[in-house]
Amino acid sequence: MTADPSEASSGSPPARPDGTVVTRIAPSPTGDPHVGTGYVALFNWAWAKRNGGRFILRIEDTDRERSTPESEQQIHDALAWLGIPGDESPSSGGDFGPYRQSERGAIYTRHAEQLMAGGHAYRCFCTSERLQELRAFQKAAKRPTGYDGRCREIDAATSDARAATEPFVVRLKVDRAGETRFTDLLRGEIVIQNENVDDQVLIKSDGMPTYHMANVVDDHLMGVTIVMRAEEWIPSTPKHVMLYAAFGWECAVFAHVPLLRNADKSKISKRKNPTSLGWYREQGFLPEAMLNFFALQGWSIKADDEEFTLEEFVAQFDPKDISTGGPVFDMTKLDWLNGEKIRKLSREELADRIVEGGFAGDWTRAELVAVLPLFQDRLKRLSEFTALAAYLKHRPEPDLEGLANKTRKADPDALRGAVRKAADVLVELQGQGDEPREAALRIVAEEAGLKVGNLFMALRVAVTGTTASPPLLPSVDALGVEESVVRIRDVAERYVPAGG
Ligand code: GLU
């Protein structure tokens, strides 16, 4: 059944099947999609899935100057990448659209008229100069700033007549007496004295709605049952509750989730943490790691495990269990989680992710599948792969200084000799397993009076270029013995001890 929102008016509930849980994410398309959007989207998506409900992506683009189609597209792409797309959205459609606020202008106008007719809103003709003066005066007098209500009592006929020739905004007529209460699922009851709530502008002079107006009208008409959003919107909620009441609508449930924070507990900011979802994608974080990480920011799984799947999360998540303590965006933990998720993939899957993510450089998928066992345990981000594996494609400049530092206690001539010998052993034992080759290399070291570690370090630097690298013998196999011994003999010639 198609609900035509243009026909919806006060009190008429949207036509969703009874009991449908409807959640939403309502980003403004004004820049790179933010990690906070992914985080809040996950909770909303999961709650809808757990309940067999609907998750809406609504684009709040009423700020026409700052909104861009590119940003909207990036929001769609980011949610698709994370694997939590809207069930209803501007791109996938749905029965309760349009899902882009800029296409819903007539709906807001009609609803503003409805509020005015009911005495809950009024046209305000005050000029911006007057409002500035008022504000300056209030500040000088150390009084709270806000609209003084001058236009509240203009009668309907006068208001209509003036509207034909003068610019105006529409304001909510806040009942100054009394208080407004609402229950936040995570915080309990919140009570605000009405005298502290300004006569909020609902429709701007350009005819566009403000966030508050559009948000409430849409949440109602789209049948949203729970508004789960960042806690920075708590101060706006009393206005929203007043709007629901003015329309005679049943209020959605509110759950304000804690903001993501920098290590110093300030709200997450670009200066201290990358905030764009695109950055994480480009770094080679896996979407499942991002989701797991987001889930951990405000919630913990009953089993006390930090690593879990999206399915496990959905099966256990309940918004009332979100904790309100400010979660710190801990990049070390994200790197750890990403490594864990990388290790859960099969070699083929990991190769696919590297190729699809654009991290393969000049590696073919088949080559990747062959060498990934060397790197899968070490990768924290997919973007690290090409640098880590570069020694297999191109002869590296060996870190001779690093090697000298690591082999300070070894006799240089003995080490050179053993390295040469090791090259011969590798040729002789070509095609044999790791064990016999390792045993033979140990004997080479022992016969030269060297610690085994010193010889292996020299071989490792020779083959891979660095002192910290994937294991030696698998690297030799991946590289081929021929090339490996060329590198090993080269290091034997060039080895210079520390301080030598
Ligand atoms: N457009 C608002 C934002 O960008 C939506 C807030 C809400 O979810 O109500 O965050």
Side-chain angles (χ1 to χ4, degrees):
M1 171 179 172
T2 302
D4 178 357
S6 60
E7 279 168 13
S9 64
S10 77
S12 61
R16 301 256 187 202
D18 273 356
T20 309
V21 169
V22 183
T23 66
R24 69 2 172 231
I25 181 88
S28 300
T30 53
D32 292 347
H34 196 274
V35 276
T37 299
Y39 158 71
V40 176
L42 169 65
F43 287 166
N44 280 287
W45 183 89
W47 188 233
K49 295 299 139 186
R50 181 161 185 197
N51 291 284
R54 306 286 286 170
F55 167 58
I56 296 172
L57 165 60
R58 182 173 71 227
I59 297 294
E60 299 209 331
D61 59 349
T62 54
D63 182 343
R64 301 307 294 148
E65 270 171 27
R66 294 179 58 228
S67 299
T68 66
E70 294 75 32
S71 172
E72 179 182 323
Q73 188 58 48
Q74 285 170 353
I75 292 169
H76 275 286
D77 293 348
L79 293 185
W81 172 66
L82 288 171
I84 52 172
D87 300 314
E88 300 171 21
S89 72
S91 65
S92 55
D95 292 343
F96 295 78
Y99 294 93
R100 204 179 272 123
Q101 288 187 328
S102 57
E103 293 167 13
R104 298 172 63 83
I107 300 172
Y108 308 125
T109 308
R110 195 162 37 256
H111 280 83
E113 279 162 5
Q114 184 186 321
L115 287 180
M116 287 196 284
H120 298 293
Y122 61 94
R123 289 193 194 94
C124 170
F125 298 93
C126 292
T127 60
S128 50
E129 291 76 37
R130 170 168 194 268
L131 295 176
Q132 269 167 22
E133 276 167 29
L134 174 64
R135 201 179 159 77
F137 169 77
Q138 287 167 332
K139 278 191 149 175
K142 300 211 164 20
R143 289 204 217 140
T145 54
Y147 185 58
D148 61 357
R150 179 192 265 196
C151 295
R152 280 173 83 119
E153 305 309 334
I154 298 174
D155 64 70
T158 312
S159 175
D160 288 348
R162 286 180 68 177
T165 55
E166 285 179 53
F168 63 87
V169 300
V170 177
R171 288 183 185 273
L172 178 65
K173 196 170 192 175
V174 172
D175 182 0
R176 295 263 154 253
E179 55 194 24
T180 297
R181 295 169 178 270
F182 66 94
T183 303
D184 180 283
L185 204 56
L186 314 179
R187 295 170 178 76
E189 191 169 56
I190 297 180
V191 185
I192 305 278
Q193 299 307 310
N194 289 359
E195 60 188 2
N196 296 329
V197 181
D198 202 7
D199 279 3
Q200 175 63 48
V201 173
L202 302 176
I203 303 286
K204 296 179 273 187
S205 56
D206 64 1
M208 284 304 245
T210 55
Y211 153 70
H212 307 281
M213 175 71 174
N215 191 270
V216 169
V217 167
D218 289 350
D219 281 345
H220 173 73
L221 295 182
M222 294 179 182
V224 170
T225 54
I226 175 164
V227 169
M228 230 185 299
R229 62 183 167 199
E231 63 190 348
E232 63 192 330
W233 299 105
I234 292 177
S236 299
T237 308
K239 293 172 186 171
H240 300 178
V241 173
M242 286 177 180
L243 271 171
Y244 277 102
F247 282 117
W249 293 338
E250 194 186 328
C251 220
V253 173
F254 295 99
H256 289 95
V257 308
L259 292 175
L260 301 174
R261 297 189 179 274
N262 299 309
D264 63 5
K265 291 275 179 183
S266 55
K267 177 181 168 184
I268 194 167
S269 61
K270 270 192 206 151
R271 274 177 299 116
K272 302 193 175 147
N273 266 304
T275 54
S276 147
L277 277 171
W279 184 86
Y280 292 87
R281 187 177 182 174
E282 283 156 22
Q283 282 294 310
F285 287 100
L286 302 182
E288 58 266 47
M290 296 305 293
L291 293 177
N292 192 155
F293 180 71
F294 288 149
L296 283 175
Q297 297 301 294
W299 184 84
S300 52
I301 202 159
K302 301 214 169 70
D304 215 23
D305 229 339
E306 294 214 294
E307 197 265 327
F308 43 81
T309 65
L310 183 57
E311 291 69 38
E312 287 165 334
F313 175 61
V314 170
Q316 291 195 24
F317 173 64
D318 188 325
K320 71 176 172 21
D321 298 332
I322 295 173
S323 74
T324 51
V328 169
F329 201 94
D330 178 352
M331 198 64 99
T332 315
K333 178 168 279 182
L334 178 57
D335 271 324
W336 168 78
L337 259 179
N338 206 49
E340 294 290 303
K341 299 291 186 189
I342 286 176
R343 281 180 270 299
K344 289 232 142 80
L345 299 174
S346 71
R347 244 198 286 176
E348 286 73 16
E349 284 169 333
L350 180 53
D352 287 340
R353 301 290 191 102
I354 291 176
V355 171
E356 284 156 16
F359 300 107
D362 55 359
W363 292 80
T364 65
R365 185 178 179 282
E367 286 173 331
L368 286 172
V369 172
V371 304
L372 278 174
L374 270 79
F375 304 100
Q376 192 157 6
D377 282 354
R378 298 175 169 258
L379 276 180
K380 290 206 285 287
R381 304 179 186 181
L382 300 183
S383 57
E384 297 164 345
F385 171 76
T386 45
L388 261 183
Y391 71 94
L392 294 177
K393 286 260 178 191
H394 313 280
R395 193 172 292 173
E397 179 53 30
D399 177 10
L400 294 173
E401 202 181 315
L403 174 60
N405 285 328
K406 296 260 181 198
T407 54
R408 284 180 171 279
K409 298 211 173 111
D411 174 70
D413 288 332
L415 186 59
R416 283 189 199 98
V419 169
R420 281 190 204 104
K421 190 90 201 292
D424 298 340
V425 165
L426 288 172
V427 174
E428 264 165 49
L429 300 188
Q430 185 168 357
Q432 301 210 18
D434 287 359
E435 248 176 66
R437 287 185 295 172
E438 209 179 301
L441 292 175
R442 277 177 188 280
I443 292 171
V444 172
E446 280 156 18
E447 283 178 359
L450 290 170
K451 285 211 164 122
V452 176
N454 284 326
L455 174 61
F456 273 82
M457 184 52 74
L459 298 176
R460 181 188 271 259
V461 168
V463 172
T464 70
T466 65
T467 55
S469 67
L472 174 67
L473 291 173
S475 295
V476 169
D477 294 338
L479 193 59
V481 172
E482 209 176 314
E483 169 65 16
S484 301
V485 299
V486 171
R487 295 184 186 184
I488 291 171
R489 290 187 176 127
D490 175 56
V491 161
E493 300 315 311
R494 293 170 61 195
Y495 178 73
V496 181

